[in-house]
Amino acid sequence: MAHQTRRRRTQEASFFIDGEIMQEPPFILRKASQKETTEAPPLRGLKVVEFAGLAPGPFVGLILADFGADVIRIDKVGAGINTDTLTRGKRSIAVDPKSPTGLKTLRRLIREADVLIEPFRPGVMERLGLGPEHVVEGKGGGEGLSANPRLVYARLTGFQRQGPYANMAGHDINYIALSGVLSMLSNQSASPSHPNPPPSFPANLLADFAGGSLICLVGILLALISRAQTSKGQVVEADMVTGARYVATFQVLMSYIVHPQWGAMFGKGDKQSRGTGVLDGAAPWYGVYKTRDDKWMSVGAIEPQFYAELLRLLRASVPSAPESCPPHPSPAEQHSRSEWPNLRIYFTTIFAQRTRAAWTETFLGTDACCVPVLDRDEALLPAGSGREAGVTLGGGILPYLPSAHATLVQSGEHNPIPPSPAPALRGTPARIAPGSAEALARSASGQGGEDEDVQLLMNSGEHTFDILREWIGASDQEIEKLYRQKAIGATDVPEEWNAPASKL
């Protein structure tokens, strides 16, 4: 029987949300229940051990949890709150692997797992006695420390596991720098007056999440498919340098080719070629332009028929070009590079004549490849809910927010709204993310029950007791002993467990 005595919270935290200091607001730390869909998610029954780390590893675990896996995060004992926000659908257990009983507890948990996600530098898990040779092959085994040959052991590092950078600290920008991809990226056009524009990096998306998380996830799923055929797990090694270069396969291969009409699509990354390709900053018809109200429109009119439509609508919207502006261009001059400087001036001047909302109304429903740049919250608004001077805005993401929530978003008085899982599986869909636009829309239409709060942060050890009972069948007496030995940690513990043990 579980203890029903008074409990006390052992950690408290304050943190920033949109610049304000918050003290555990209910939408942050509330345990969000998961509503079952009509069909079970595809990964239901899969058990995943995720060692706490920075964003790339947790994103792998979040996707697995979204699609039904039981994901537990291994935290340090006494770590307090973890600033990892990729916690949806997961639970936390705090265990000390340097304690003999803590190590044994971890080995018992891993023995029950299908997948392990490890985000550390090479050698860390081996020194702890938790490397593949220990948990997969059974090295150093003993009572309760048997092997798990079916385990998919996923290792995600920044730099490659071998070579001169293997044990160095780094971040996304460093990984894409070594991959050769950063040198090929620029958001500025090279010109005689501005040669060798600097490389541009897309926040920390390319290495951390595309080359790291998603490549690692693909490896896990492939290993699980293989296990279904062989009954054996395997080690999956993913690093963000190799992964980022793999994700950029199209750009790398296209940099060797010159299109007969368009010219070079991408430069190879040296100072002579960076910013000279069609898609890396040189072409004026592939970029962003500021509007009269200091907002932005995106232009991607690559194909000639789409470019002609873009020019037609620009001319129709601003029939008389300002004096400082070059004349309306001809579609036939799209690939005349000598005209590109004037064309860029033309686009810059014309888009500045009207508001973003007016341009959105002009291009909506056309093939001009021109849409507004929406901010984080605008992308969730229903089409027509954000109106400027009677012009429709919004409509970036489906499903739209219900009108009541859209009003809150527009006023800035709303809780975080997380992205919904992707892709959409029509037969075995992902769990609906609490607080997402999809969840709020279903609730408003009576399909999804009560609104649920967003699960952003999770205390270290918030679910320790439940996990030990469910995963390894630990008794209350065993859990108390582990706690008193400081092998495990928890947020809510019976008060008497923190009192000195009685002497017999």
Side-chain angles (χ1 to χ4, degrees):
M1 179 177 177
H3 287 276
Q4 300 297 323
T5 53
R6 288 180 299 163
R7 300 175 185 270
R8 66 184 181 90
R9 186 165 294 277
T10 57
Q11 295 98 5
E12 294 184 357
S14 63
F15 39 88
F16 287 92
I17 295 292
D18 281 349
E20 296 184 16
I21 297 178
M22 313 290 286
Q23 296 289 338
E24 297 194 7
F27 70 81
I28 294 292
L29 297 177
R30 172 177 159 183
K31 300 173 186 176
S33 62
Q34 295 290 349
K35 300 294 185 183
E36 293 294 333
T37 53
T38 304
E39 299 292 339
L43 300 182
R44 184 179 182 182
L46 194 77
K47 290 187 172 183
V48 180
V49 169
E50 172 197 312
F51 281 81
L54 298 177
F59 190 52
V60 177
L62 180 139
I63 296 174
L64 294 173
D66 279 343
F67 286 88
D70 181 4
V71 181
I72 62 172
R73 188 181 73 190
I74 308 299
D75 283 307
K76 294 180 180 179
V77 173
I81 200 159
N82 187 317
T83 55
D84 168 26
T85 58
L86 302 174
T87 62
R88 183 171 65 223
K90 304 178 189 177
R91 296 183 292 173
S92 167
I93 177 172
V95 187
D96 181 7
K98 296 181 180 180
S99 158
T101 50
L103 176 62
K104 182 177 179 179
T105 300
L106 275 174
R107 292 281 293 265
R108 291 173 66 189
L109 290 167
I110 294 170
R111 186 180 60 186
E112 302 300 318
D114 297 286
V115 177
L116 183 150
I117 303 170
E118 183 255 295
F120 306 123
R121 299 188 203 184
V124 171
M125 292 291 274
E126 283 77 4
R127 290 192 292 272
L128 290 173
L130 295 170
E133 67 271 28
H134 301 102
V135 299
V136 177
E137 301 170 13
K139 179 181 177 181
E143 183 182 356
L145 301 180
S146 59
N148 181 0
R150 289 177 55 81
L151 181 68
V152 173
Y153 195 117
R155 320 195 79 165
L156 178 56
T157 58
F159 296 117
Q160 294 175 312
R161 298 187 67 82
Q162 296 81 33
Y165 299 94
N167 288 298
M168 290 174 55
H171 287 290
D172 183 291
I173 192 170
N174 307 124
Y175 310 141
I176 60 175
L178 283 188
S179 74
V181 177
L182 178 57
S183 70
M184 301 172 65
L185 303 179
S186 178
N187 59 10
Q188 298 182 29
S189 175
S191 66
S193 61
H194 188 225
N196 191 22
S200 303
F201 56 95
N204 67 323
L205 294 174
L206 183 50
D208 279 0
F209 297 106
S213 305
L214 295 182
I215 291 295
C216 182
L217 179 66
V218 169
I220 290 171
L221 297 178
L222 292 174
L224 289 172
I225 293 173
S226 175
R227 190 183 73 171
Q229 301 169 342
T230 66
S231 297
K232 293 182 179 180
Q234 59 183 293
V235 175
V236 175
E237 292 187 353
D239 71 83
M240 299 172 205
V241 175
T242 307
R245 189 173 178 89
Y246 187 40
V247 168
T249 296
F250 173 78
Q251 286 77 12
V252 171
L253 296 183
M254 286 299 293
S255 69
Y256 293 98
I257 296 174
V258 176
H259 192 279
Q261 286 183 305
W262 303 344
M265 298 289 285
F266 298 96
K268 69 176 184 179
D270 61 358
K271 65 180 181 180
Q272 288 81 22
S273 65
R274 186 184 308 112
T276 63
V278 169
L279 299 183
D280 67 359
W285 30 264
Y286 197 85
V288 292
Y289 292 93
K290 187 184 292 187
T291 59
R292 191 176 70 192
D293 51 350
D294 283 335
K295 296 179 180 178
W296 298 86
M297 295 294 292
S298 68
V299 176
I302 300 174
E303 293 80 1
Q305 67 273 27
F306 303 151
Y307 181 66
E309 179 72 348
L310 173 70
L311 295 186
R312 183 185 70 81
L313 291 169
L314 290 176
R315 179 191 290 268
S317 300
V318 186
S320 299
E323 292 183 4
S324 61
C325 181
H328 292 297
S330 165
E333 297 176 342
Q334 179 181 6
H335 298 290
S336 176
R337 291 190 173 232
S338 63
E339 294 297 321
W340 282 4
N342 282 335
L343 189 55
R344 190 175 298 279
I345 295 172
Y346 171 80
F347 285 146
T348 301
T349 305
I350 294 299
F351 275 104
Q353 304 305 304
R354 305 174 75 207
T355 65
R356 183 188 62 172
W359 285 120
T360 298
E361 189 80 355
T362 294
F363 290 112
L364 192 62
T366 74
D367 281 346
C369 301
C370 186
V371 302
V373 178
L374 302 179
D375 69 22
R376 179 194 68 187
D377 297 331
E378 288 172 334
L380 300 172
L381 296 175
S385 63
R387 301 183 68 84
E388 299 175 7
V391 181
T392 301
L393 286 179
I397 297 291
L398 293 171
Y400 301 141
L401 283 176
S403 57
H405 292 282
T407 300
L408 290 175
V409 166
Q410 289 177 286
S411 67
E413 299 174 357
H414 63 97
N415 287 344
I417 302 174
S420 294
L425 302 183
R426 296 307 180 191
T428 54
R431 293 165 169 167
I432 296 173
S436 66
E438 181 180 6
L440 297 174
R442 287 173 62 90
S443 176
S445 63
Q447 301 178 52
E450 298 179 359
D451 290 355
E452 298 181 48
D453 292 327
V454 181
Q455 182 181 353
L456 278 187
L457 303 179
M458 187 163 58
N459 277 316
S460 170
E462 187 172 337
H463 313 91
T464 294
F465 300 155
D466 289 341
I467 292 170
L468 290 174
R469 294 186 186 105
E470 294 174 20
W471 276 52
I472 62 175
S475 66
D476 289 342
Q477 292 74 23
E478 182 181 1
I479 293 172
E480 179 182 357
K481 183 178 180 181
L482 289 170
Y483 181 80
R484 289 186 179 276
Q485 293 173 335
K486 301 187 185 307
I488 62 171
T491 55
D492 294 318
V493 298
E495 288 189 356
E496 61 267 26
W497 287 14
N498 291 290
S502 59
K503 296 180 180 181
L504 300 178

